[in-house]
Amino acid sequence: VRQAKCDPLSLTSLLVASSVDCFRDPSAHRDVAGCLEVGFMVAACLGGGAAQPVERSTIPHDCVNDNLPYQLITTIDAFELHSWDWATGERSVHWKLQQANHPNVTRVNACGIDPEDNIAYCIVYRNGGYLGRLDKNGIAYVARTPGGEFSVSASFDENGTFWATTRDEIWKLKAPHNLKGWSEPSADLPKLRVVGNTSMNHGADIVAWQDHIVSVRGSKVILTDLSDKNLETWEAKPSLADPMEGGFGGAYLYSGSLYFSANGGKGVYRIEPDLKLRTFIGTRVGASFDTNNNDGLNCIFTESPDEVGRIKDAGFHTSMLGASIVILSLLGHLMNSVGAPLMRILVSSGMHESQTSKAPPHWLGSKLPPSVTEHRRSVAATRLRRQACAAWQKRAGAP
């Protein structure tokens, strides 16, 4: 309507198209915020002016209990948030934003969940590029992109800074959680800052990790050093039994570990960089699904589905070993002469089985010492406890 300058034909078409879902039965319409936006646009036309932005809130993710990997996928008529099971590749839809209710939004990509407010942010193209907060009710516009450009690759780092890349630029925005979200974009919104140019293009999605931007394109991992004033960028093939190939539109940071999902349904890979040797170790850890026009996002201070499975397996072996020792100790009291030798033999056997399990302890799989892994978990646990406490205080109305 705004593009057509509120001409009668466009206004009539909008009223007819929206009447069934919005004006006759607003409660039955899935996207209530979309109905409100239509109403504002019609009212603006009738009043002869542009729709005025109003402040808009956004529903956060439950990052205390949710470690699901998500993908924001653009379909023919909607922007959909999907999650999926890495063990099977099966996915489910969490919510949809119907494009008919956001007629001026043509593209949504470059998403991430801010660890400071647990809200999903994406780059939205609506007659120009914007950073927006998304939930099942709609879009809240937060900032503008440099030159109104679009991006398909973005990530939050552990400090809550939003990073995005284009073909040759890297953008950043510190602390977007402190900004207000609006129902309409405007030229008054703050702008993402251009950090600099890179010497090579990154992949379809990125991870912001330890002052680096990491992505996968085809069979190579690409890394940019953000601490280097020239943004030094290099690439290498990871050591992997089955070479990676194709596009990787889903990138995930889980408590310091990096994961990339192949668009062609060829799997999810954990990538472990060695910054000194400039090498990467790659491990296929799960199944992906066939998709495109997508972007990955997740709660970054949770354990990945891959690590949760490995920890459970290792815990099972440890528990079984502990139970065996307790039982054998009781038997030892009954068999003074035979019990001790028997216990030594069986305990030795149990230790051997645990150490040669197919599911190694978490720190062995990631090539990191236990102290580093425990530090990661401690930091993540502390942040999640604070978030849970804040959520409880908000519900209880406590100061």
Side-chain angles (χ1 to χ4, degrees):
V1 173
R2 283 190 295 273
Q3 288 179 332
K5 298 182 179 179
C6 302
D7 66 272
L9 180 59
S10 296
L11 180 58
T12 302
S13 299
L14 180 65
L15 288 170
V16 171
S18 304
S19 61
V20 175
D21 285 339
C22 293
F23 295 98
R24 290 185 184 179
D25 188 7
S27 63
H29 193 65
R30 292 182 180 179
D31 189 358
V32 177
C35 291
L36 293 175
E37 184 172 0
V38 170
F40 287 139
M41 293 165 64
V42 173
C45 285
L46 296 177
Q52 295 300 312
V54 294
E55 192 172 348
R56 186 179 213 166
S57 61
T58 305
I59 301 173
H61 285 260
D62 180 13
C63 287
V64 175
N65 301 304
D66 183 2
N67 75 325
L68 292 173
Y70 290 97
Q71 290 205 17
L72 195 289
I73 298 175
T74 301
T75 64
I76 296 176
D77 59 357
F79 305 108
E80 303 179 355
L81 185 68
H82 291 233
S83 67
W84 88 100
D85 184 345
W86 282 5
T88 64
E90 296 180 356
R91 56 176 166 162
S92 59
V93 180
H94 278 250
W95 49 253
K96 295 182 180 181
L97 293 181
Q98 297 294 335
Q99 294 190 33
N101 301 322
H102 305 274
N104 292 328
V105 176
T106 56
R107 302 179 71 186
V108 178
N109 210 302
C111 302
I113 296 179
D114 189 340
E116 295 294 335
D117 59 15
N118 299 335
I119 290 176
Y121 290 70
C122 299
I123 298 295
V124 177
Y125 195 83
R126 177 174 166 177
N127 301 322
Y130 297 91
L131 178 63
R133 299 184 181 118
L134 274 71
D135 63 14
K136 64 181 181 180
N137 296 323
I139 304 170
Y141 295 89
V142 173
R144 296 176 294 144
T145 63
E149 295 296 321
F150 189 69
S151 169
V152 299
S153 306
S155 172
F156 277 95
D157 65 22
E158 295 179 337
N159 297 315
T161 297
F162 181 82
W163 297 87
T165 62
T166 63
R167 287 185 177 275
D168 58 357
E169 287 184 340
I170 294 179
W171 306 338
K172 70 179 293 187
L173 181 65
K174 289 185 176 180
H177 66 281
N178 288 330
L179 301 176
K180 292 182 178 181
W182 302 94
S183 61
E184 299 288 325
S186 74
D188 297 328
L189 293 175
K191 186 184 294 186
L192 278 74
R193 183 171 69 88
V194 177
V195 176
N197 298 82
T198 59
S199 58
M200 62 182 68
N201 299 340
H202 271 278
D205 199 10
I206 62 172
V207 170
W209 169 80
Q210 296 185 8
D211 289 328
H212 294 81
I213 296 292
V214 187
S215 67
V216 175
R217 190 182 67 228
S219 62
K220 295 182 178 181
V221 180
I222 303 170
L223 186 144
T224 295
D225 186 352
L226 297 174
S227 65
D228 180 66
K229 64 178 182 179
N230 297 318
L231 296 177
E232 182 185 13
T233 301
W234 50 274
E235 62 181 17
K237 288 186 177 182
S239 59
L240 189 67
D242 299 319
M244 300 185 300
E245 58 183 14
F248 287 78
Y252 305 90
L253 177 66
Y254 274 107
S255 296
S257 297
L258 286 61
Y259 297 84
F260 295 87
S261 172
N263 286 356
K266 297 183 178 180
V268 179
Y269 297 84
R270 184 176 68 250
I271 299 298
E272 302 163 47
D274 187 319
L275 300 179
K276 291 184 178 180
L277 298 179
R278 295 199 170 190
T279 59
F280 302 96
I281 297 174
T283 308
R284 189 181 187 279
V285 298
S288 61
F289 55 91
D290 193 2
T291 183
N292 56 31
N293 210 349
N294 60 311
D295 199 73
L297 59 161
N298 68 290
C299 296
I300 67 175
F301 281 108
T302 58
E303 294 282 4
S304 75
D306 162 54
E307 291 178 344
V308 168
R310 287 190 292 157
I311 292 169
K312 285 182 178 178
D313 288 343
F316 170 77
H317 286 282
T318 302
S319 299
M320 290 298 292
L321 175 60
S324 300
I325 292 174
V326 170
I327 293 172
L328 291 173
S329 297
L330 293 175
L331 290 176
H333 288 290
L334 299 176
M335 298 182 296
N336 292 329
S337 59
V338 180
L342 179 62
M343 187 184 301
R344 285 195 296 270
I345 294 171
L346 291 179
V347 168
S348 175
S349 174
M351 287 293 289
H352 177 72
E353 179 182 358
S354 176
Q355 290 174 351
T356 58
S357 166
K358 293 182 180 179
H362 169 68
W363 66 271
L364 282 178
S366 62
K367 300 293 191 298
L368 291 173
S371 59
V372 175
T373 299
E374 291 305 320
H375 173 70
R376 285 181 180 173
R377 290 182 185 167
S378 175
V379 171
T382 300
R383 184 177 287 258
L384 290 175
R385 283 197 297 270
R386 289 175 180 172
Q387 291 174 351
C389 182
W392 178 85
Q393 288 177 334
K394 185 175 182 180
R395 287 195 300 270

